[in-house]
Amino acid sequence: MGKIVELKDVSFSYDDKKVLNNINLTIDDGEFVGLIGPNGSGKSTLVKIMIGDLTPSSGEVLINGINVKDMKNRSVIGYVPQKSYSFNASFPASVKEVVSMGLYGKLGLFKKLSKDDWEIVNNALKTVDMIDYKDRLIGNLSGGQQQRVFIARALVSDPKILFLDEPTTGIDAKSEDTLYKILDTLNKENKITIIMVTHDVWAISDKVSRIVCMGNGRLYDKCDTLDFSKKELAEIYGYPVKLDMHHHQSENINNRL
Ligand SMILES: Nc1ncnc2c1ncn2[C@@H]1O[C@H](COP(=O)(O)OP(=O)(O)O)[C@@H](O)[C@H]1O
Ligand SMILES: [Mg+2]
């Protein structure tokens, strides 16, 4: 297993507000990493830096050993952004059209899709079990179904790494379960490395292979191991709610080893 993502001394500020402070992180090919941390701790910012949407003020990001800013083709990276909106019923795009947008990087905005391209779109929809909905309007789907369509959109470029920013926010428990099953298959069978931001600290401990945690502008690696003290975690969150998590996750980690 080689390194697939490497952050070296990454710092980042929005104007004069420092959000990330000398972050170092290595992710190996095949990992499923959960990225947790309180609101505003910089999780989404870190993801945007890893996919090359934002440029660090200092430090560098390597994807497969190549600086992300020098990558002309970022099709190895799939990204499902934090859902800040929800399509309403009148949004005039079908499911298959939304998924086909994932091919624009390859095709350009106004190129017509070939038969093979539509085949790729269909396969991605099958992977997320949404093929039966391909002609439906995106706005008529539930939050969980929309989220699966966005995953399909990220899959059409055949990524090796998939970043998801809070994919379970606002979806019900059953949809969440379906989503985690899909992610598990993508990780184990399709061999896609997954980095998932979540606020769902309890639920993820048995779903991911490693938990890293952000707070106070820093990144704490391996928050789910015994090296990581309960006190530190409580300090990061600013309240002691997660005290049991540490113990719980350590047990899970031990069970997995
Ligand atoms: N575009 C932006 N311009 C200025 N400040 C921002 C911007 N985006 C995020 N921030 C600030 O940066 C900090 C980290 O934000 P974010 O990365 O979204 O955190 P998280 O995803 O952990 O909630 C927050 O204080 C947020 O208000
Ligand atoms: Mg966020």
Side-chain angles (χ1 to χ4, degrees):
M1 285 212 302
K3 297 172 185 173
I4 194 159
V5 180
E6 235 183 318
L7 303 188
K8 292 183 176 172
D9 289 322
V10 167
S11 295
F12 182 82
S13 306
Y14 289 108
D15 302 320
D16 53 357
K17 185 180 193 298
K18 195 151 196 176
V19 179
L20 306 175
N21 201 359
N22 277 331
I23 304 253
N24 287 287
L25 175 68
T26 301
I27 294 166
D28 283 335
D29 196 8
E31 281 198 280
F32 187 162
V33 176
L35 177 57
I36 64 170
N39 266 339
S41 58
K43 303 179 297 296
S44 295
T45 303
L46 188 69
V47 168
K48 287 175 192 159
I49 282 177
M50 289 193 274
I51 66 170
D53 264 17
L54 291 175
T55 308
S57 337
S58 61
E60 55 182 19
V61 178
L62 307 179
I63 303 288
N64 279 323
I66 301 166
N67 197 315
V68 72
K69 74 177 194 316
D70 298 327
M71 287 170 67
K72 290 217 169 58
N73 180 348
R74 298 201 183 130
S75 63
V76 294
I77 299 170
Y79 175 45
V80 181
Q82 186 162 8
K83 209 173 151 206
S84 47
Y85 53 86
S86 154
F87 290 110
N88 63 37
S90 62
F91 190 82
S94 69
V95 165
K96 66 176 188 229
E97 284 166 347
V98 169
V99 175
S100 74
M101 290 170 193
L103 288 167
Y104 287 173
K106 183 182 130 203
L107 298 174
L109 199 50
F110 300 108
K111 204 102 174 270
K112 229 170 151 285
L113 269 69
S114 68
K115 206 163 163 252
D116 287 352
D117 294 329
W118 283 118
E119 187 68 24
I120 293 171
V121 168
N122 283 344
N123 284 336
L125 281 168
K126 282 177 196 157
T127 304
V128 300
D129 204 14
M130 285 297 289
I131 189 69
D132 294 345
Y133 296 80
K134 70 181 169 127
D135 295 314
R136 297 269 288 267
L137 288 178
I138 184 85
N140 285 337
L141 304 182
S142 73
Q145 290 171 329
Q146 288 186 6
Q147 202 57 267
R148 276 146 68 190
V149 172
F150 295 129
I151 293 174
R153 183 179 63 179
L155 291 177
V156 290
S157 69
D158 195 19
K160 299 290 165 264
I161 320 164
L162 184 59
F163 292 91
L164 304 112
D165 198 344
E166 305 216 11
T168 61
T169 298
I171 70 177
D172 60 61
K174 190 162 169 281
S175 309
E176 191 174 312
D177 210 46
T178 308
L179 197 78
Y180 279 129
K181 285 201 178 93
I182 291 167
L183 294 181
D184 191 60
T185 305
L186 290 175
N187 180 238
K188 295 214 174 73
E189 282 167 35
N190 302 38
K191 310 287 181 207
I192 297 175
T193 303
I194 298 181
I195 294 129
M196 179 182 72
V197 175
T198 182
H199 56 271
D200 227 355
V201 268
W202 280 100
I204 57 159
S205 58
D206 58 348
K207 303 202 166 62
V208 299
S209 55
R210 172 157 63 121
I211 298 175
V212 298
C213 161
M214 296 195 59
N216 311 321
R218 289 183 53 201
L219 184 140
Y220 302 79
D221 207 350
K222 297 180 181 154
C223 292
D224 46 358
T225 61
L226 285 169
D227 317 338
F228 199 77
S229 81
K230 296 174 186 181
K231 189 164 164 288
E232 269 176 301
L233 204 54
E235 270 168 20
I236 291 170
Y237 273 85
Y239 51 89
V241 183
K242 306 292 185 287
L243 280 180
D244 284 345
M245 180 192 87
H246 168 76
H247 185 59
H248 172 77
Q249 283 171 347
S250 304
E251 283 173 352
N252 276 328
I253 282 280
N254 290 337
N255 289 342
R256 277 201 303 272
L257 291 175

